[in-house]
Amino acid sequence: MISRLQVRNFVLIDSLEIDFPEGLIIITGQTGAGKSILLGALSLLMGTKADASMVSEGAENCFVEAEFDVDPENEQVRNLLEDNEVEWDGGHLIIRRVVNRSGRSRAFVNDSPVAVTVLQDISSQIVDIHSQHQTMLLSDRHFHLDTLDHFAGNQALRSECSALWQRLQQYRSDLRALQKKMAEVSADRDYNQAQYNQLEAASLREGELEELEQEQKQLANAEEIRNGLGAVEEIFEPASDMLSLDASMKEIQRQLSRLVRFIPAAEELSERVDSCRRELDDIFSEVSSINSRVDVSPERLEMVEDRMSLLYSLLQKHSCRDISELISVRNRLSGILFDSTALVERLESLQSDIQTAESELGRVAAQLHKSRVQAAASFAEEITASIRGLELPYAVFEVEVSEVPLGVTGSDAVSFKFSSTGRNAVDVARCASGGELSRIMLALKAMRARYTNMPTMIFDEIDTGVSGSVADKMGSMICDMGSYMQVFAITHLPQVAAKGNAHYLVSKEINPDASLAVSKIERLSDEQRVLELARMLSGSVLTDAAIANAKALLGA
């Protein structure tokens, strides 16, 4: 229930703070006094769209806050708060909404910032607001279905059905995406296979191209290389009678050794010559070895150049810079070709999942259908009894359950039918007058409130189009609802207003400081309540008869 409401700078409400009790709360006031503004402030807390027009003239922002006492056993609200990291506080909620001049808003629950969608989810569990135009719901087939399901206690089945439907839709979406991908893979498979086969047959190896390029240079210049190395060998070992380079170095070393007794430094020079000789000997050995390995083979050259040509063509074909990138292309193609096998397995798995989900959904839909058909008759009887109690003695209310394609709510459509004469019931939205629609809607709301355990219900002139004894009986029905929940009734009818446990008056006055009209709300005392009912009965001039009538309505 709503225990306290605080409003600042909201449209015509300058500042307001008021407490509300349990039971039936009556709100009255002349047309244009601001009753709808008060309802708008409450609706803002419930998550309706905010805009700059809500902020009073001259203010920077508007502020609406309400305290709610929620059943500590209400798991839906508790889970919503826990999911959004909001403190539960044993069912005590403070919901606040602040709207700035630009129209942007912020929402808080127990001082924790939350998204507006969280307010909407919470409010759906704790407050039901029936606005003046909500009789339009009688033409809404979703409302018909939801109302019957609340009566039948189908909430758990509905949740399961919705979850299965969403899962099935996801499976079907995944299947469509998979089939599209498989079609693309299939269209490119032959091409990809040929590309892969060519790269696989090439036996690619990292670093191979660099090695081939080096070998090709040697093979292409083998004669020049051998001639040059042969000339070097000739210098080391001349073919003529000249001393070899090694023999010459030994002779130099021998002559220096003879001079050591005369020139001590000659010994070091001799050692250095010996070191040079040994190094030259190693060089000669390597030159000879290289020369012996130089291959003058046109056949090998042709093979190397053919291999290089293949690798160059593959690099160009696949726009690669080196063999490593070519290997990556080959591996990617291998993955694509392998994936096509995995895609087939995934397809079979998805088809199995879809078949299972469809079976489960069909089972739940069948349970829902059975429950709805079983509940339809007793639901119709209960609503018919309520409507007849509102001075429509021959009225009948019927519920028709028909099959429709399987969907998120099952495989049923529900429609309400009505006849005020008891014959030829037709669609309720097309056959009922304004007063009849109000009575039907009240009966439906009373039923929903009972079966949904809604803690607070707000009626905004649900008694439109009725008067006299009918209004009195509607007031009694609303009063009965106030015995097990908190009910706000905004009304112009004294017969309804007299039923309340508490009566609040909304009025408009001119603020002399700002020369602006402002709305305010105050709880009426017993004496003030008599006068307000008398005003509602007689208008601006209060007569003794109106006052006496007001006292009679109040049972004073």
Side-chain angles (χ1 to χ4, degrees), residues 10-41:
F10 183 83
V11 193
L12 297 181
I13 300 176
D14 184 25
S15 180
L16 177 153
E17 185 169 359
I18 194 163
D19 297 328
F20 294 114
E22 297 179 352
L24 175 58
I25 299 164
I26 299 297
I27 299 176
T28 63
Q30 295 189 13
T31 301
K35 299 187 296 298
S36 60
I37 296 175
L38 182 64
L39 187 62

Side-chain angles (χ1 to χ4, degrees), residues 78-256:
R78 182 173 60 192
N79 291 337
L80 276 170
L81 296 181
E82 290 177 353
D83 290 344
N84 290 277
E85 300 181 351
V86 177
E87 184 180 354
W88 168 234
D89 197 17
H92 182 69
L93 302 182
I94 299 178
I95 298 179
R96 181 167 70 254
R97 191 104 179 259
V98 180
V99 183
N100 61 29
R101 173 57 64 186
S102 67
R104 299 187 64 181
S105 72
R106 293 176 295 156
F108 303 86
V109 177
N110 288 350
D111 290 326
S112 296
V114 297
V116 172
T117 53
V118 176
L119 296 187
Q120 295 169 350
D121 292 339
I122 293 175
S123 67
S124 68
Q125 302 294 326
I126 61 176
V127 178
D128 184 353
I129 298 180
H130 176 88
S131 65
Q132 295 182 37
H133 305 292
Q134 210 172 17
T135 52
M136 296 294 293
L137 284 174
L138 290 175
S139 62
D140 185 347
R141 293 290 183 265
H142 294 294
F143 175 75
H144 297 185
L145 181 66
D146 288 345
T147 303
L148 178 61
D149 279 338
H150 279 300
F151 178 84
N154 287 336
Q155 284 74 20
L157 280 175
R158 276 283 295 268
S159 296
E160 186 179 1
C161 185
S162 176
L164 285 169
W165 174 256
Q166 297 301 332
R167 187 188 308 167
L168 177 60
Q169 294 304 100
Q170 185 60 55
Y171 286 154
R172 287 172 174 171
S173 176
D174 292 346
L175 179 62
R176 288 192 295 271
L178 181 62
Q179 288 172 332
K180 180 180 178 181
K181 184 175 182 181
M182 290 182 69
E184 293 172 352
V185 170
S186 178
D188 296 336
R189 181 175 178 80
D190 291 344
Y191 174 77
N192 288 334
Q193 186 69 59
Q195 298 286 83
Y196 172 77
N197 291 343
Q198 186 181 35
L199 290 173
E200 181 66 15
S203 300
L204 301 172
R205 179 171 58 82
E206 288 191 31
E208 181 188 11
L209 185 58
E210 290 78 5
E211 295 173 4
L212 290 172
E213 288 173 342
Q214 182 63 36
E215 185 179 1
Q216 189 273 339
K217 286 182 182 179
Q218 292 181 5
L219 288 169
N221 298 279
E223 289 294 341
E224 183 178 351
I225 292 171
R226 295 203 66 173
N227 290 336
L229 291 175
V232 172
E233 287 182 307
E234 180 70 20
I235 293 172
F236 274 98
E237 289 189 344
S240 62
D241 294 336
M242 294 177 60
L243 291 176
S244 67
L245 192 57
D246 181 67
S248 297
M249 295 294 288
K250 285 181 179 180
E251 179 61 25
I252 293 171
Q253 185 180 5
R254 187 177 68 78
Q255 294 297 334
L256 287 172

Side-chain angles (χ1 to χ4, degrees), residues 5 29 53 79 117 137 147 171 186 214 246 291 320 365 446 490 512 529 533 544 553:
L5 177 66
S53 65
N79 291 337
T117 53
L137 284 174
T147 303
Y171 286 154
S186 178
Q214 182 63 36
D246 181 67
N291 195 18
C320 295
I490 300 173
R529 192 173 183 188
L533 287 179
D544 292 339
L553 286 173

Side-chain angles (χ1 to χ4, degrees), residues 370-529:
K370 181 179 179 180
S371 175
R372 288 162 179 164
V373 170
Q374 289 177 342
S378 54
F379 174 80
E381 289 175 6
E382 183 170 326
I383 299 300
T384 297
S386 296
I387 296 171
R388 288 182 176 181
L390 298 175
E391 297 193 6
L392 288 172
Y394 304 108
V396 292
F397 183 91
E398 298 176 357
V399 178
E400 181 180 83
V401 180
S402 56
E403 284 195 46
V404 294
L406 194 61
V408 68
T409 58
S411 57
D412 300 312
V414 173
S415 59
F416 294 160
K417 297 183 179 298
F418 174 78
S419 170
S420 60
T421 63
R423 297 187 303 273
N424 302 322
V426 295
D427 189 279
V428 65
R430 295 191 292 108
C431 69
S433 66
E436 290 168 344
L437 288 174
S438 294
R439 282 175 266 188
I440 295 169
M441 200 67 196
L442 177 58
L444 291 171
K445 285 286 186 176
M447 187 282 299
R448 279 185 68 126
R450 187 163 67 254
Y451 286 97
T452 59
N453 296 317
M454 185 67 66
T456 298
M457 180 163 284
I458 301 173
F459 290 115
D460 182 17
E461 299 185 18
I462 195 171
D463 46 24
T464 299
V466 299
S467 59
S469 58
V470 176
D472 182 68
K473 291 178 179 178
M474 289 184 72
S476 296
M477 183 179 289
I478 294 173
C479 185
D480 289 342
M481 294 172 63
S483 65
Y484 56 85
M485 65 185 300
Q486 184 186 48
V487 179
F488 289 80
I490 300 173
T491 182
H492 284 294
L493 298 181
Q495 297 92 332
V496 176
K499 305 292 184 182
N501 303 109
H503 191 148
Y504 292 80
L505 176 66
V506 178
S507 59
K508 185 185 292 185
E509 61 183 25
I510 301 298
N511 184 335
D513 296 329
S515 298
L516 295 173
V518 295
S519 295
K520 66 175 186 176
I521 182 172
E522 58 180 339
R523 183 170 180 174
L524 301 180
S525 65
D526 291 341
E527 292 182 1
Q528 291 172 320
R529 192 173 183 188

